[in-house]
Amino acid sequence: MRSVPFRILILLLAALADEAAAQAGSAPDLGRFFEGYQGCFVLLDLASHQYLRYNPTRSALRLAPWSTFKIPNSLINLELGNVRDASQVTKWDGVVRDRPEWNRDQTLASAFSVSAVWYYQRLARETGERRMHDYLHLVRYGNEDISGGIDRFWLGSSLRISADEQVDFLRRMLESQLPFSSRTVAIVKEIMIVAQSPEGAVLRGKTGTGGSDSSRLNWFVGYVEREGHDYVFATNIEGP
């Protein structure tokens, strides 16, 4: 995402939100962005409560969250005290993996940024099955199913969530409707920052990718803060 001109992305999301509000749910044609792939896009303007959706049928389809689950995983482990703050260092386990940026000590901030799976698997194991299940039920995260294994359930295993549910989860986070302290939420908001514009707009989000080369699923979920307004979004795209 960092290679995308941020100013253009901000303007696009804001324009889509404005158009959604003006047309009361009549979405512009976004199909050209998904040509040849299965995909969907959901945008919620928190101020007007107006939604814009491309492919509403798929928007309601539950899929594996992959690394977008690092958002709730961060919230849960900060709240439990398994990690003190965004800068606490966790030692690398010494296992060499395909991504060089994973093969080093990590903080919560760095692990979120480079999407270090081993770090978040360790946090999930520290949380444990009972507490993880309880939290996913409390926050109503997708199908709440962790039966696929405490350090695997979000990685193409048992846990499923839709784009609509991703947006609703983030909405509730922003509106302080989740069982997490303001400090916990503030830390997660900080590590979610992808880019900022000179005018003060902020893009926060998390990607997630998984599956085979013939059918790879890609997520991007988050929100844009622009001129005091929040626009929450979730999109996924799937194909070769």
Side-chain angles (χ1 to χ4, degrees), residues 12-81:
L12 173 62
L13 289 171
L16 290 173
D18 292 344
E19 183 168 343
Q23 299 185 14
S26 177
D29 179 16
L30 303 180
R32 65 188 184 280
F33 297 112
F34 295 90
E35 188 173 350
Y37 297 85
Q38 301 178 67
C40 66
F41 178 79
V42 182
L43 181 71
L44 169 63
D45 180 344
L46 286 189
S48 68
H49 305 290
Q50 292 288 338
Y51 280 89
L52 181 152
R53 287 183 178 88
Y54 167 74
N55 196 347
T57 300
R58 185 177 172 90
S59 297
L61 177 66
R62 284 176 167 172
L63 302 165
W66 294 96
S67 284
T68 65
F69 185 70
K70 287 181 172 66
I71 298 174
N73 208 354
S74 297
L75 290 165
I76 292 166
N77 281 279
L78 281 164
E79 195 72 10
L80 290 173

Side-chain angles (χ1 to χ4, degrees), residues 1 6 30 34 38 62 82 109-110 123 135 140 159-160 167 170 186 188-189 198 202 204 216 220-221 225 233 238:
M1 279 310 300
F6 179 60
L30 303 180
F34 295 90
Q38 301 178 67
R62 284 176 167 172
N82 292 336
S110 69
L123 288 185
Y135 262 111
R140 307 194 306 275
L159 187 64
R160 295 286 189 273
V167 166
L170 291 173
V188 172
K189 285 181 179 180
V202 184
R204 292 176 171 88
R216 187 164 295 277
F220 187 45
V221 307
E225 183 181 351
F233 66 89
E238 187 173 4

